[in-house]
């Protein structure tokens, strides 16, 4: 159940309302965005509690939503969410291309890649400064220095920038430097991190964990929304299956299913799903044909020297070619790149 609170309600009234919920042992969370306040409830309110709350005079609407994810559901918001960041709209008619290196490695690397990517209609430059690596001996990322480099180079190239945040303690600095904050697959159910990015004030890319169901994925989006951030971009990046010809198995049906269940934009990362570059064009085209709102693709100027994920990185000119081919598919489904 969701309670939409009337605009300009006195915070003392909301405190009273919460107090009533607490006295009745009703789990809830207050989601306050710039434009609205919504209270999410774990379960439906008993009649007598509902009457007590209504007598406070601050409830605009009470919505009964049967799915466990509420604010993320289409029952809460039938229209698709469009996330505007400067001139880029994610979730609109444009297929938004996000591309760049797996990891930020140096100023020269970022400069060279960003320069090339502008020719490929890329809107967002990806690049991780904090790397979740299976081995503690592998390159762990440049850390805060990498964030600063990402930001510094933005003045030159003008693209939007995004990066992964792995640790609750890094959320403020990541949000300060980035246009979009990314929660990686391995942290999809790091609930403290989800709460923190829910309060960070920047759009969040939420990757699907390799072992999460679509419902669990949407529940993680709900965490972020319940803490006040409704700008969540879902990202399908492949799941673990028995198949070993690819790194993960790109679950395109999750995109079709999630589109029915949620109003949030959905993008696809074919790079981490495939783990190899040869099938990235095919997966990307399928994702656009299916209704994905964007793609997150790894690109490197020197994949042979990449500190991370070189095998799955396209060259900038390969992305440029792919972008042209994707434009035709986008047009066929009434969209553009
Ligand atoms: C990434 O995008 O850099 C990444 C680590 O991907 P994932 O979290 O999907 O494994
Ligand atoms: Mn990578």
């Amino acid at each position: 159940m969701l309670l939409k609170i009337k605009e300009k309600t006195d915070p003392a009234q909301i405190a009273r309302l919460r107090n009533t919920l607490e006295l009745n042992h009703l789990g809830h969370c207050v989601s306050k965005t710039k434009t609205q306040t919504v209270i999410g409830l774990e379960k439906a309110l008993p009649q007598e509690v509902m009457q007590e709350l209504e007598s406070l005079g601050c409830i605009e609407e009470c919505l009964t939503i049967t799915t466990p994810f509420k604010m993320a559901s289409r029952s809460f918001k039938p229209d698709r969410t469009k996330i505007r960041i400067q001139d880029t709209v994610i979730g609109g008619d444009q297929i938004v291309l996000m591309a760049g290196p797996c990891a930020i490695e140096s100023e020269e690397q970022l400069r060279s890649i960003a320069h090339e990517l502008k020719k490929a209609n890329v809107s967002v430059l990806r690049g991780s400064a904090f790397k979740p690596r299976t081995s503690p001996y592998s390159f762990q990322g440049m850390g805060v220095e990498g964030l600063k480099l990402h930001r510094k180079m933005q003045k030159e190239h003008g693209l939007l920038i995004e990066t992964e945040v792995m640790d609750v303690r890094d959320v403020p600095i990541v949000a300060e430097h980035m246009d979009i904050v990314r929660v990686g697959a391995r942290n999809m159910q790091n609930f403290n991190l989800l709460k923190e990015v829910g309060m960070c004030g920047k759009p969040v890319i939420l990757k699907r964990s390799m072992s999460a169901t679509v419902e669990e994925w949407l529940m993680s989006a709900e965490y972020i929304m319940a803490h006040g951030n409704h700008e969540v971009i879902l990202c399908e990046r492949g799941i673990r299956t028995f198949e070993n010809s690819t790194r993960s198995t790109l679950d395109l049906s999750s995109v079709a299913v999630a589109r029915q269940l949620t109003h949030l934009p959905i993008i696809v990362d074919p790079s981490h799903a495939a783990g190899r570059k040869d099938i990235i064009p095919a997966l990307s085209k399928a994702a656009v044909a299916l209704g994905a709102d964007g793609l997150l693709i790894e690109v490197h100027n020197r994949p042979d020297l990449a500190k991370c994920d070189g095998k799955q990185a396209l060259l900038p000119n390969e992305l440029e070619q792919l972008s042209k081919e994707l434009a035709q598919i986008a047009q066929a489904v009434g969209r553009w790149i």
Side-chain angles (χ1 to χ4, degrees):
M1 187 171 246
L2 290 178
L3 302 176
K4 281 194 187 171
I5 303 300
K6 284 183 188 160
E7 243 183 274
K8 298 190 183 119
T9 293
D10 185 350
Q13 282 294 79
I14 296 181
R16 269 182 221 115
L17 195 147
R18 296 193 66 180
N19 196 31
T20 307
L21 293 173
E22 266 150 35
L23 289 173
N24 286 280
H25 310 288
L26 291 159
H28 66 278
C29 198
V30 180
S31 175
K32 189 169 172 5
T33 68
K34 279 183 206 123
T35 52
Q36 59 177 348
T37 301
V38 184
I39 301 186
L41 293 152
E42 191 184 3
K43 51 189 179 200
L45 290 173
Q47 194 61 36
E48 63 281 9
V49 181
M50 191 64 220
Q51 276 166 2
E52 198 179 333
L53 294 183
E54 273 174 347
S55 71
L56 293 169
C58 59
I59 297 175
E60 181 189 307
E61 197 185 353
C62 172
L63 297 166
T64 302
I65 295 174
T66 50
T67 49
F69 47 90
K70 315 248 175 238
M71 297 178 207
S73 78
R74 293 203 92 150
S75 320
F76 172 61
K77 188 170 177 291
D79 298 338
R80 305 205 67 79
T81 287
K82 294 183 174 60
I83 301 176
R84 175 178 285 279
I85 315 167
Q86 296 169 31
D87 295 335
T88 301
V89 178
I90 303 162
D93 289 340
Q94 183 185 9
I95 307 291
V96 177
L97 287 188
M98 308 187 187
C102 177
I104 296 164
E105 297 169 16
S106 69
E107 187 166 319
E108 294 66 40
Q109 175 226 28
L110 277 188
R111 178 178 291 116
S112 157
I113 296 173
H115 178 74
E116 295 286 327
L117 289 186
K118 291 185 85 162
K119 294 185 231 157
N121 292 324
V122 167
S123 307
V124 182
L125 184 68
R126 68 151 282 149
S128 299
F130 302 102
K131 288 301 310 165
R133 304 305 302 273
T134 305
S135 167
Y137 310 120
S138 302
F139 176 58
Q140 304 287 306
M142 289 180 74
V144 174
E145 200 197 328
L147 289 183
K148 292 188 174 152
L149 206 53
H150 214 2
R151 184 77 188 165
K152 178 181 166 209
M153 296 311 295
Q154 190 181 39
K155 291 203 175 70
E156 268 186 33
H157 57 67
L159 296 164
L160 297 173
I161 51 174
E162 70 83 69
T163 206
E164 174 163 357
V165 64
M166 285 168 54
D167 191 315
V168 173
R169 293 167 296 186
D170 296 325
V171 172
I173 192 160
V174 170
E176 182 195 327
H177 286 77
M178 296 297 124
D179 300 303
I180 307 174
V181 171
R182 167 166 35 97
V183 173
R186 289 155 193 81
N187 274 311
M188 189 205 84
Q189 285 188 318
N190 179 340
F191 299 114
N192 286 338
L193 186 64
L194 299 178
K195 289 178 193 173
E196 205 60 35
V197 296
M199 297 182 280
C200 80
K202 289 284 168 77
V204 177
I205 293 174
L206 176 66
K207 287 198 150 190
R208 180 185 179 190
S209 153
M210 49 281 255
S211 58
T213 62
V214 171
E215 185 172 297
E216 286 164 338
W217 187 24
L218 295 180
M219 287 308 286
S220 291
E222 187 78 12
Y223 254 91
I224 300 172
M225 298 180 81
H227 286 81
N229 189 347
H230 289 207
E231 297 196 315
V232 181
I233 302 152
L234 297 162
C235 179
E236 163 63 45
R237 49 79 69 214
I239 52 172
R240 276 269 165 97
T241 69
F242 56 82
E243 180 54 60
N244 59 10
S245 56
T246 50
R247 188 173 170 182
S248 290
T249 299
L250 184 62
D251 180 15
L252 284 175
S253 43
S254 83
V255 181
V257 170
R259 269 182 76 84
Q260 288 181 2
L261 297 174
T262 184
H263 52 85
L264 295 170
I266 307 163
I267 63 169
V268 168
D269 172 351
S271 307
H272 290 88
R276 46 190 264 195
K277 64 183 273 188
D278 58 337
I279 59 170
I280 288 170
L283 299 180
S284 303
K285 288 175 196 171
V288 171
L290 191 76
D293 297 298
L295 293 162
L296 181 66
I297 301 179
E298 286 190 343
V299 176
H300 204 289
N301 54 337
R302 289 294 307 269
D304 52 328
L305 300 178
K307 290 196 172 162
C308 187
D309 287 350
K311 273 201 272 184
Q312 66 195 39
L314 294 182
L315 288 163
N317 67 327
E318 289 169 337
L319 186 72
E320 201 184 331
Q321 175 58 28
L322 175 57
S323 171
K324 286 185 192 139
E325 292 168 21
L326 290 172
Q328 289 178 302
I329 295 176
Q331 199 184 12
V333 294
R335 303 180 83 171
W336 58 280
I337 286 195

